[in-house]
């Protein structure tokens, strides 16, 4: 009986601590008015362990072209009993946001399991609090809910929809358009809790290389197609949710993420506080944000894109025409 | 030059860059290639040619030098042959160069053409190299630049050769589209009294643009090395 109970507790712990939630796309660059899908992962960024029932979803929305559209239950399907898939059709060009907010659930844990979860999921402030206040041996009953977003680009033209606050209990909101950033840039992201900036909160940022990815870190600049990146997600590695950059929000609730490589980037945080409601000890709100970063194909090259920063092409052309015109009048005058 | 011809010429000159600015090559081209199949490679190839002003400036320089439609077809064919060889060959074999260095050499080709058109070699007492050979060599160089560009995208391995060929087809379509107004403008102006001033102005500009692009690319190269 004891073995069975321990096994169940262990299974519960594994299931619980592994379940980060992400909205993921195969590619975050979509064409206008294209049938598309977004995968809802519940597990790790690489692997989803289970599907999410529709009645757990408080809100599933897509925001683009200045309009928020609620997703309906019939837009969801399931795959392999592990991935929940949202089917939708993209709209006009712009930088779109998809979001999902789930209902809260309660989960009981032994002190040992709770401490282990805090350590492996990077909720280090609470772990330290327990150590400092001699509560390390206290079991926990935690109420948790998850609120996830993805920002994707439709067509060539960017828009301001990426800045939309979805009004979730906790959510990441970038301070600039991720699709006007490129590998090597820094992206500032604000973390809101109850609509207000959340300060001094641990945030983890990491990425998964895309097929055409390459790093812009200290290594030599190259356009390698090698997938065997040093930042691998080896299945044999010890399981952790805290890889990548460990950041802390400043007094404006902002973190600065170094977009060091091409890939699909994800930010995650778990805001865990004490809760004195009956039967509870803690309450957590989980947030993630995903988006894709590519290197700038027009960077330092003769083929500049007028829509992606730098000197627009037309500036060169107008300047050239003015120069040719000036030379023409000069030579005409001298000829005459 | 009568007013009507001047109006046509001015309009074409002004419309050309307006067309070009609408087709910037961007990072989202990768998404186009990811989602659009082989046709998207034609589109991106054409777009690259139309927005790659270094290629267009060189072509304009070649057109200036030529007399008659037959001459134009002959030289453009040689240029096309040259860039097809390196575009297809280098991409297929995975051979590429530093983007800045190859673009710097392409900038020199622009400078070369302006210099030659203005009789630079004659002024130095040197015989001009055979232009047909030079256009072929510069075609190879421009093709290598296009190949380096194409290889900066993730093409995957499916239909690899077909994708290269489609990109090449796109480049040729873009080249034809760009050549139409260039050839029209130059040939229409040739019979006018003001052509000499236009010829000198345009080729002086090619020299200035070639030098500026060369400095720009070398600065870019040394900035990251």
């Amino acid at each position: 009986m004891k073995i069975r109970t321990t096994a169940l507790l262990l299974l519960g712990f594994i299931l619980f601590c592994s379940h980060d939630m992400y909205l993921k796309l195969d590619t975050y660059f979509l064409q206008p008015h294209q049938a598309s899908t977004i995968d809802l992962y519940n597990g790790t960024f690489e692997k989803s362990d289970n599907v999410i029932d529709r009645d757990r979803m408080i809100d599933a929305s897509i925001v683009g072209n200045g309009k928020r559209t609620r997703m309906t239950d019939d837009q969801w399907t399931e795959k392999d009993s592990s991935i929940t898939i949202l089917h939708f059709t993209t709209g006009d060009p712009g930088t779109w946001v998809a979001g999902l907010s789930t209902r809260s659930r309660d989960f009981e844990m032994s002190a040992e399991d709770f401490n282990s979860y805090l350590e492996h999921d990077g909720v280090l402030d609470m772990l330290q609090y327990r150590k400092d206040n001699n509560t390390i041996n206290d079991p926990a009953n935690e109420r948790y809910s998850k609120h996830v977003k993805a920002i994707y680009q439709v067509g060539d033209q960017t828009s301001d929809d990426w800045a939309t606050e979805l009004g979730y209990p906790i959510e990441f909101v970038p301070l600039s358009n991720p699709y006007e950033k490129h590998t090597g840039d820094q992206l500032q992201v604000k973390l809101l809790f109850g609509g207000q900036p959340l300060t001094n909160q641990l945030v983890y940022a990491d990425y998964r290389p895309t097929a055409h990815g390459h790093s812009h870190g200290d290594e030599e600049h190259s356009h390698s197609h090698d997938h065997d990146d040093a930042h691998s997600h080896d299945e044999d590695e010890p399981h952790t949710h805290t890889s990548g950059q460990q950041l802390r929000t400043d007094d404006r609730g902002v973190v600065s993420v170094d977009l060091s490589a091409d890939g699909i980037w994800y930010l995650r945080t778990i805001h865990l506080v004490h809760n004195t409601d009956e039967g509870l000890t803690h309450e957590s709100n989980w947030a993630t944000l995903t988006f894709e970063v590519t290197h700038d194909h027009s960077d330092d090259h003769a083929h500049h894109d007028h829509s992606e920063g730098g000197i627009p092409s037309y500036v060169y052309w107008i300047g050239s025409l003015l120069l040719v015109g000036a030379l023409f009048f000069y030579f005409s005058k001298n000829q005459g | 030059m009568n007013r009507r011809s001047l109006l046509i010429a001015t309009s074409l000159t002004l419309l050309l860059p307006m067309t070009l600015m609408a087709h910037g090559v961007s990072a989202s081209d990768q998404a186009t290639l990811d989602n659009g199949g082989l046709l998207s490679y034609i589109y991106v190839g054409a777009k690259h040619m139309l927005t790659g002003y270094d290629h267009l400036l060189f072509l304009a320089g070649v057109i200036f030098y030529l007399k008659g439609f037959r001459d134009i077809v002959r030289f453009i064919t040689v240029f096309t042959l040259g860039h097809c060889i390196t575009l297809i060959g280098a991409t297929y074999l995975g051979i590429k160069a530093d983007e800045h260095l190859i673009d710097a050499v392409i900038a020199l080709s622009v400078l070369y053409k302006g210099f030659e058109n203005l009789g630079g070699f004659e002024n130095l007492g040197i015989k001009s190299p055979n232009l047909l050979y030079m256009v072929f060599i510069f075609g190879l160089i421009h093709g290598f630049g296009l190949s380096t560009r194409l290889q900066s995208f993730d093409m995957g391995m499916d239909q690899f050769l077909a994708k290269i060929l489609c990109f090449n087809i796109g480049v040729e379509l873009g080249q034809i589209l760009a050549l139409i107004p260039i050839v029209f403008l130059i040939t229409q102006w040739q019979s006018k009294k003001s052509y000499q001033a236009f010829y000198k102005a345009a080729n002086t500009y090619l020299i200035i643009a070639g030098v500026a692009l060369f400095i720009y690319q070398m600065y870019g190269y040394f900035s990251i090395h």
Side-chain angles (χ1 to χ4, degrees):
Chain A
M1 183 68 185
K2 192 177 177 183
I3 295 171
R4 193 177 163 191
T5 306
T6 307
L8 283 172
L9 282 172
L10 185 62
L11 179 65
F13 160 68
I14 291 168
L15 287 173
F16 180 73
C17 77
S18 300
H19 287 175
D20 275 338
M21 185 179 281
Y22 298 98
L23 285 171
K24 286 178 62 177
L25 289 84
D26 290 335
T27 173
Y28 286 65
F29 294 98
L30 304 175
Q31 294 302 305
H33 308 288
Q34 173 193 17
S36 305
T37 59
I38 298 177
D39 293 343
L40 177 61
Y41 270 43
N42 197 40
T44 64
F45 189 74
E46 286 76 28
K47 184 174 178 292
S48 185
D49 289 323
N50 62 272
V51 296
I52 301 296
D53 292 336
R54 254 56 87 213
D55 60 8
R56 265 189 79 187
M57 300 176 184
I58 295 175
D59 174 71
S61 301
I62 286 180
V63 181
N65 304 138
K67 185 183 168 191
R68 181 169 183 167
T69 307
R70 310 275 176 182
M71 299 296 103
T72 55
D73 287 356
D74 59 2
Q75 288 181 259
W76 295 92
T77 59
E78 294 169 358
K79 180 185 173 188
D80 303 331
S81 300
S82 59
I83 303 172
T84 320
I85 302 171
L86 174 67
H87 300 263
F88 69 107
T89 302
T90 59
D92 291 335
T95 310
W96 290 61
V97 186
L100 176 82
S101 180
T102 65
R103 292 183 198 288
S104 61
R105 281 184 165 183
D106 298 348
F107 195 85
E108 282 188 64
M109 282 167 282
S110 68
E112 188 183 352
D113 290 346
F114 189 61
N115 294 334
S116 183
Y117 141 62
L118 295 180
E119 182 184 350
H120 289 99
D121 280 74
V123 195
L124 305 180
D125 294 337
M126 182 58 76
L127 185 61
Q128 191 60 47
Y129 177 89
R130 284 166 66 84
K131 287 176 183 172
D132 294 344
N133 291 277
N134 295 322
T135 56
I136 197 80
N137 294 318
D138 290 354
N141 189 11
E142 180 180 329
R143 173 163 293 166
Y144 68 95
S145 59
K146 302 174 184 178
H147 317 280
V148 295
K149 293 168 73 173
I151 300 177
Y152 55 94
Q153 176 63 37
V154 175
D156 282 345
Q157 208 173 351
T158 56
S159 66
D160 292 334
D161 300 293
W162 54 270
T164 306
E165 294 175 16
L166 298 182
Y168 293 163
I170 190 169
E171 66 178 304
F172 288 109
V173 180
L175 294 185
S176 53
N177 189 338
Y179 296 96
E180 288 173 352
K181 298 286 183 180
H182 295 287
T183 305
D185 290 344
Q186 200 172 60
L187 178 70
Q188 290 196 316
V189 182
K190 182 176 279 190
L191 180 60
L192 298 176
F193 181 67
Q196 298 300 314
L198 182 59
T199 62
N200 198 33
Q201 170 69 24
L202 273 173
V203 172
Y204 298 90
D206 205 354
Y207 73 98
R208 188 165 187 245
T210 41
H212 51 286
H214 63 246
S215 172
H216 280 233
D218 293 329
E219 66 268 48
E220 186 182 349
H221 177 89
S222 71
H223 287 269
S224 168
H225 288 242
D226 188 356
H227 295 214
D228 193 15
D229 195 304
H231 182 89
S232 68
H233 292 267
D234 193 332
E235 293 294 330
D236 296 331
E237 281 182 356
H239 186 81
T240 177
H241 292 254
T242 56
S243 59
Q245 300 169 40
Q246 180 178 306
L247 309 163
R248 195 174 278 281
T249 55
D250 62 16
D251 54 8
R252 297 175 300 139
V254 173
V255 288
S256 297
V257 183
D258 290 325
L259 306 174
S260 56
D262 291 7
I264 296 172
W265 281 79
Y266 56 97
L267 275 67
R268 60 176 293 277
T269 192
I270 301 172
H271 179 246
L272 180 65
V273 293
H274 291 99
N275 187 318
T276 54
D277 287 355
E278 190 178 349
L280 292 177
T281 58
H282 298 81
E283 180 170 2
S284 66
N285 281 278
W286 303 41
T288 62
L289 171 70
T290 67
F291 53 92
E292 186 167 351
V293 175
T294 62
H295 58 287
D296 188 352
H297 284 100
S298 59
D299 193 22
D300 299 326
H301 195 265
H303 310 274
H304 295 271
D305 183 353
H306 62 92
S307 66
E308 295 199 15
I311 302 172
S313 292
Y314 67 85
V315 172
Y316 289 98
W317 286 107
I318 291 171
S320 297
L321 283 172
L322 290 173
L323 181 56
V324 173
L327 288 167
F328 175 75
F329 283 110
Y330 171 77
F331 287 116
S332 295
K333 197 177 174 186
N334 283 4
Q335 191 175 260
Chain B
M1 188 175 202
N2 62 36
R3 282 186 183 177
R4 191 178 171 187
S5 300
L6 184 64
L7 183 65
I8 292 169
T10 308
S11 301
L12 280 170
T13 311
L14 290 170
L15 282 173
L16 176 61
M18 296 299 282
T19 308
L20 296 168
M21 64 181 266
H23 296 280
V25 173
S26 70
S28 60
D29 284 335
Q30 180 65 58
T32 306
L33 297 179
D34 289 343
N35 298 311
L38 290 175
L39 283 177
S40 66
Y41 282 80
I42 296 176
Y43 167 74
V44 173
K47 187 176 173 182
H48 179 73
M49 195 64 182
L50 284 168
T51 55
Y53 42 83
D54 41 8
H55 304 301
L56 299 183
L57 291 179
F58 177 76
L59 280 173
V62 172
I63 302 297
F64 261 118
Y65 194 83
L66 305 177
K67 290 177 178 61
F69 187 69
R70 196 177 160 186
D71 224 9
I72 291 170
V73 170
R74 198 159 62 102
F75 276 80
I76 294 303
T77 303
V78 167
F79 180 72
T80 303
L81 185 66
H83 74 234
C84 284
I85 289 171
T86 40
L87 170 54
I88 296 169
T91 310
Y92 191 75
L93 297 172
I95 302 166
K96 57 189 172 185
D98 182 280
E99 287 185 25
H100 292 291
L101 291 183
I102 191 67
D103 282 346
V105 178
I106 290 171
L108 288 180
S109 73
V110 176
L111 165 64
Y112 175 92
K113 204 68 215 76
F115 179 75
E116 184 184 39
N117 288 352
L118 289 174
F121 288 108
E122 285 78 1
N123 292 340
L124 293 173
I126 305 168
K127 191 186 174 193
S128 294
N130 183 300
L131 182 60
L132 204 58
Y133 291 145
M134 292 308 293
V135 166
F136 179 70
I137 290 168
F138 285 133
L140 292 173
I141 293 166
H142 281 244
F144 195 35
L146 291 163
S147 171
T148 300
R149 178 74 173 165
L150 178 57
Q151 289 180 72
S152 73
F153 292 108
D154 171 33
M155 299 171 67
M157 292 312 293
D158 291 343
Q159 299 181 295
F160 188 62
L161 185 58
K163 287 172 180 172
I164 301 170
L165 292 173
C166 285
F167 183 83
N168 200 157
I169 290 167
V171 165
E172 305 318 327
L173 291 174
Q175 182 173 286
I176 291 167
L177 285 173
L179 279 172
I180 291 169
I182 293 172
V183 170
F184 183 81
L185 177 66
I186 293 173
T187 53
Q188 287 299 304
W189 211 322
Q190 272 173 346
S191 57
K192 313 299 175 193
K193 194 182 169 186
S194 59
Y195 180 70
Q196 274 309 309
F198 174 58
Y199 182 91
K200 284 182 185 173
N203 284 291
T204 304
Y205 166 74
L206 288 185
I207 293 174
I208 295 168
V211 171
L213 284 173
F214 178 77
I215 293 169
Y216 176 71
Q217 294 299 344
M218 292 311 291
Y219 174 77
Y221 175 77
F222 286 114
S223 296
I224 62 167
H225 285 85

